[in-house]
Amino acid sequence: MQPVSRRMFMGVAGLAGMSVAPSANAAPGRCGEHAWCDAQLSPDERAALVLREMTLDEKVSLLGGDDFWGATGSGHTGTGHGVERLGVPPVYYGDGPVGARQGEGTSMPSSLALAAGFDPALARDYGKTVANEIRCKGNDVVFGPTVDVLRIPMSGRAFEGFGEDPHLASQVTVQWAGGAHSEGLVVCVKHFAAYTQEGILGLVGGRTLYNAVVDDRTMREIYLPPFEAAVQEAGVGAVMGSYNRVGGQYACENQALLNDLLKGEWGFAGYTIADYGAMHDTGAALSNGMDFEPWPALVYSPAAIHTALAAGAASTADVDDHARRILRTMFAHGIFDRPAFPNDEGQIDRRAHLEVASRVAEQGSTLLRNDGLLPLDAAELRGKTIAVIGRAADEFVQGGGSSSTTPFSYVSPLQGLRERGAREGIEITHEPGKSPRAAAEAARNADLAVVIASDLMSEFLDKPDLDLDSGIASFPPPQVGDPFADQDAVIEAVLEANPDAVVVLETGGPVRMPWRERTRALLESWYPGANAGTALARVLFGDTDPGGRLPVTFPVSEQDLPTAGDPQRYPGVGGDVHFTEGVFVGYRHYDANEIAPAFPFGHGLSYTTFGYDDLRVGDRAVSVTVTNTGARTGYAVPQLYLGLPAVVPQPPRQLKGFRKLELQPGESVSVEFALTDRDLSYWDDGWRISEGEYRVLVGESSRDIRLEGGFTV
């Protein structure tokens, strides 16, 4: 790849000798009466005009955010300085991926729950809902979504992304961003790039310490596609750099990532933003493509920038380019041309947003096992007792860090089931899981048991293993007399005491389930958000079909992971993390090595059944007919996988298409999957299509293949 041009900005040469008068086409915003307020000019032309009038100090001031106390005092996640003299308004930033963190908001289900929905249209509603609340709190930019492809299922931020498959993540990303754009916000996708772990105790393999040693093919095929789609399909205005190093350079001062690839090859016209505390060297960041450092601007403080310029570590042309990109994005997204968004959460339609949260939780609810116990029959249970067991039944369970939120309101699983029980004449009892003995007694004395278990994942810290009670979930360590028992022991006791038991998991990602084969019904609810109880009751009682499919493989144990037994792969040795598993991430690894997972990628049961037939294959299109062969309305998620010719090592199959269908009993739908050149390609110093046989596989998961075919290139 060739370095990007160091030219200051598009159109400056042509405008250098012009004297532009104020226009009569000025928009009714905050711009004023300046020449660049003419909304009929292009964003590039407007940015060039205002930049020409700015002093060096004013340009420098645009590159850094608040002073140390600025953002915390305002409640915004960050604030970009404006230039009042020239009508450049300030820019306000808000987290985040699962809802507004500024005060209270609607706590949405985790991003992984959204991905489990396998529904791009739902992703658009999700992005629109989050962005609306960010906007109603007076912000112009939303920090989200998180689009890092999952490599390590113990990663503290596993819950915050869209899972292990780049195609699924890309589809969800594009629609999430589209929904947020409809609210008038600038979308900032994060974290660019190869950001896959938080570290053990924040130190070993820590996110600010490790260097991702990853080959070009793996980057291009696995970790970059969601960012590429965000830029080239969704047109996002900002990309956030990650903490780690890539190829020896920090991501926030990485020439190959920021200038050569993002701004050069992909043609990204927006601006780059550093994650908080992710910048290190002022000169390197200025010259290698980092545009903006949010609160607190230390590396991009005016003093630091002027020192770097004086030392020749960067040039004023670099400063001009960064300032131009920020200004151009502000013009392109209408920030100049509208009044400031008022910070008034009274504008938020809380009821409507709570309904969206419930719908996402329902559609993401993934039924892993069911021998007919579900859906519950309210008529058969009338006058009987359901024991709800577990501390998570009456707690708000969410991930920690930048995706933690404070809900306006919360319907717990216990509350949702109690409300449903009151309507149906079913008694609901609760045992908070103080001991296996107490849990067993509660289950034994009930006609049915629902045991709810959770983990806790968070930014800053990876879990040491896949157990429910490990890592940050048990921090601080249990004290003498701790009232809560090990959750696996509680589940074992419940299953022993009452075989009619539903196990519900509220987890950030995969967990080890040594008791799974003894369950009659097992439901993964992820972190289900503010309307958890309403959604759970609707799914358990069959008001809606569980719509979720696994966006990540659930392994039997940590020994089956692609990184298992190799400290160079994880957590790294000598600061280097070697991605030597290559493209064999997630289900690609399990399939290639014939390892049986606990539950495979794409798996999820319905309350009905589906038939697949009439597979028709061309080299650019595949069609199949899906029929609801059961007696209930339900959601089918046909998934298209391709097996590429093994010119280079290839996974047995890769997801290249999916659909979310709601089908009535007996209803049939013909689904067509279009295939692009990119779907048929692998990376070898460019995207290349191999001659040979391409396998076509259509089914209900990566392991449940119903129809097979092929075509020749």
Side-chain angles (χ1 to χ4, degrees):
M1 293 179 289
Q2 297 298 316
V4 293
S5 171
R6 287 295 187 188
R7 289 177 296 180
M8 285 176 59
F9 47 82
M10 183 184 303
V12 172
L15 292 168
M18 296 176 60
S19 176
V20 184
S23 168
N25 295 312
R30 292 167 286 172
C31 191
E33 298 297 327
H34 306 286
W36 48 86
C37 300
D38 185 351
Q40 294 186 350
L41 298 175
S42 72
D44 288 293
E45 291 171 322
R46 299 175 75 180
L49 287 170
V50 66
L51 191 68
R52 191 181 66 172
E53 300 299 323
M54 296 179 73
T55 67
L56 178 59
D57 284 342
E58 288 170 336
K59 296 171 188 175
V60 166
S61 74
L62 287 182
L63 310 192
D66 283 298
D67 58 29
F68 188 79
W69 298 111
T72 57
S74 67
H76 303 285
T77 306
T79 303
H81 300 293
V83 180
E84 186 175 359
R85 181 180 73 88
L86 301 175
V88 179
V91 176
Y92 297 102
Y93 297 83
D95 273 331
V98 301
R101 295 182 65 225
Q102 184 177 333
E104 295 181 343
T106 302
S107 297
M108 297 293 286
S110 66
S111 301
L112 202 58
L114 173 64
F118 272 68
D119 188 346
L122 187 64
R124 187 176 184 88
D125 291 343
Y126 189 112
K128 180 178 176 63
T129 300
V130 171
N132 176 265
E133 297 200 5
I134 298 290
R135 176 176 67 79
C136 289
K137 293 175 180 288
N139 297 290
D140 307 288
V141 182
V142 54
F143 286 152
T146 297
V147 305
D148 305 298
V149 172
L150 184 65
R151 177 177 183 250
I152 311 294
M154 295 90 71
S155 170
R157 300 181 94 158
F159 70 94
E160 196 177 307
F162 297 138
E164 70 188 26
D165 182 79
H167 179 79
L168 173 62
S170 297
Q171 296 295 307
V172 175
T173 295
V174 169
Q175 293 303 318
W176 196 112
H181 285 154
S182 72
E183 289 291 321
L185 291 193
V186 178
V187 172
C188 177
V189 293
K190 56 182 190 175
H191 310 83
F192 193 64
Y195 177 38
T196 61
Q197 63 193 63
E198 298 297 292
I200 299 173
L201 298 178
L203 297 174
V204 181
R207 65 185 187 181
T208 63
L209 304 175
Y210 81 87
N211 172 44
V213 182
V214 53
D215 63 275
D216 287 345
R217 182 189 173 201
T218 301
M219 282 289 280
R220 294 285 188 157
E221 293 188 24
I222 302 296
Y223 299 106
L224 293 179
F227 292 98
E228 185 179 5
V231 169
Q232 298 193 331
E233 296 180 44
V236 299
V239 173
M240 180 176 285
S242 57
Y243 288 103
N244 54 289
R245 288 172 288 150
V246 180
Q249 279 190 318
Y250 281 104
C252 289
E253 51 193 56
N254 194 301
Q255 170 72 20
L257 282 178
L258 302 181
N259 279 339
D260 297 347
L261 176 65
L262 179 63
K263 297 178 179 180
E265 181 183 332
W266 291 353
F268 176 57
Y271 67 109
T272 55
I273 300 175
D275 207 340
Y276 285 59
M279 291 178 64
H280 298 269
D281 183 278
T282 305
L286 285 169
S287 59
N288 291 342
M290 181 48 61
D291 298 314
F292 180 72
E293 181 186 25
W295 173 89
L298 301 176
V299 177
Y300 269 8
S301 69
I305 291 176
H306 282 296
T307 298
L309 294 177
S315 70
T316 56
D318 294 318
V319 173
D320 284 354
D321 184 63
H322 299 317
R324 179 193 66 82
R325 285 180 169 274
I326 294 169
L327 292 166
R328 186 208 175 277
T329 305
M330 293 172 68
F331 281 118
H333 288 262
I335 294 176
F336 278 86
D337 303 328
R338 58 164 171 78
F341 290 140
N343 186 350
D344 177 13
E345 65 182 34
Q347 306 170 85
I348 296 172
D349 189 339
R350 300 186 187 189
R351 180 184 297 275
H353 289 186
L354 200 62
E355 290 175 356
V356 174
S358 180
R359 185 154 48 91
V360 173
E362 293 164 15
Q363 291 299 305
S365 294
T366 308
L367 187 59
L368 301 179
R369 285 176 62 88
N370 185 31
D371 73 352
L373 183 59
L374 294 179
L376 301 179
D377 189 321
E380 288 187 2
L381 287 168
R382 188 165 294 118
K384 296 182 179 181
T385 300
I386 297 177
V388 179
I389 300 167
R391 65 191 188 220
D394 203 27
E395 292 181 350
F396 177 54
V397 177
Q398 65 171 337
S402 63
S403 284
S404 62
T405 58
T406 303
F408 286 133
S409 61
Y410 174 56
V411 181
S412 72
L414 179 60
Q415 182 182 351
L417 291 172
R418 278 180 169 163
E419 290 177 355
R420 185 56 178 264
R423 294 203 306 268
E424 304 290 355
I426 303 168
E427 182 183 0
I428 306 294
T429 65
H430 180 226
E431 207 303 302
K434 292 181 179 179
S435 70
R437 178 180 297 180
E441 182 178 358
R444 193 177 297 112
N445 292 332
D447 298 285
L448 179 90
V450 177
V451 56
I452 301 175
S454 68
D455 71 353
L456 178 56
M457 307 185 83
S458 179
E459 183 181 359
F460 311 116
L461 180 68
D462 292 341
K463 292 174 63 175
D465 53 46
L466 292 175
D467 288 352
L468 277 168
D469 293 305
S470 68
I472 198 167
S474 59
F475 184 83
Q479 304 297 312
V480 175
D482 189 308
F484 295 112
D486 174 86
Q487 293 180 101
D488 284 318
V490 167
I491 294 171
E492 295 274 11
V494 169
L495 294 175
E496 182 70 26
N498 188 339
D500 290 336
V502 180
V503 178
V504 178
L505 297 176
E506 294 187 351
T507 64
V511 292
R512 194 175 65 88
M513 295 171 280
W515 33 261
R516 69 186 182 281
E517 294 183 356
R518 295 169 52 205
T519 58
R520 290 194 61 194
L522 174 57
L523 182 72
E524 174 61 77
S525 292
W526 316 102
Y527 295 153
N531 216 356
T534 302
L536 179 62
R538 284 178 49 78
V539 170
L540 293 185
F541 281 90
D543 301 338
T544 182
D545 201 46
R549 304 296 184 266
L550 290 181
V552 57
T553 303
F554 275 49
V556 174
S557 73
E558 298 85 1
Q559 284 65 47
D560 294 338
L561 300 178
T563 56
D566 189 344
Q568 293 195 75
R569 290 184 178 179
Y570 178 79
V573 175
D576 290 335
V577 174
H578 296 266
F579 289 54
T580 49
E581 74 280 2
V583 299
F584 295 91
V585 176
Y587 67 90
R588 293 165 168 80
H589 159 77
Y590 296 92
D591 292 347
N593 293 282
E594 298 183 341
I595 300 171
F599 299 104
F601 175 89
H603 172 72
L605 302 176
S606 168
Y607 291 151
T608 187
T609 55
F610 301 98
Y612 290 71
D613 57 25
D614 196 23
L615 178 67
R616 301 187 181 189
V617 178
D619 64 353
R620 289 298 185 274
V622 174
S623 65
V624 64
T625 298
V626 183
T627 302
N628 183 342
T629 55
R632 297 176 62 95
T633 299
Y635 292 103
V637 184
Q639 301 159 39
L640 169 67
Y641 297 86
L642 290 187
L644 275 59
V647 176
V648 295
Q650 291 283 7
R653 45 195 164 270
Q654 304 175 47
L655 183 72
K656 297 298 181 180
F658 60 90
R659 294 288 187 276
K660 186 70 168 283
L661 307 173
E662 184 178 18
L663 299 179
Q664 305 294 321
E667 183 181 4
S668 294
V669 172
S670 179
V671 178
E672 181 169 304
F673 302 99
L675 294 173
T676 66
D677 285 352
R678 181 66 170 270
D679 292 326
L680 276 57
S681 299
Y682 69 96
W683 180 266
D684 182 11
D685 198 28
W687 291 106
R688 307 187 185 281
I689 298 178
S690 299
E691 294 183 351
E693 296 294 322
Y694 287 73
R695 295 177 64 224
V696 173
L697 307 100
V698 177
E700 295 207 320
S701 79
S702 58
R703 291 293 178 96
D704 185 2
I705 302 301
R706 303 296 182 86
L707 299 171
E708 295 191 39
F711 60 88
T712 302
V713 174

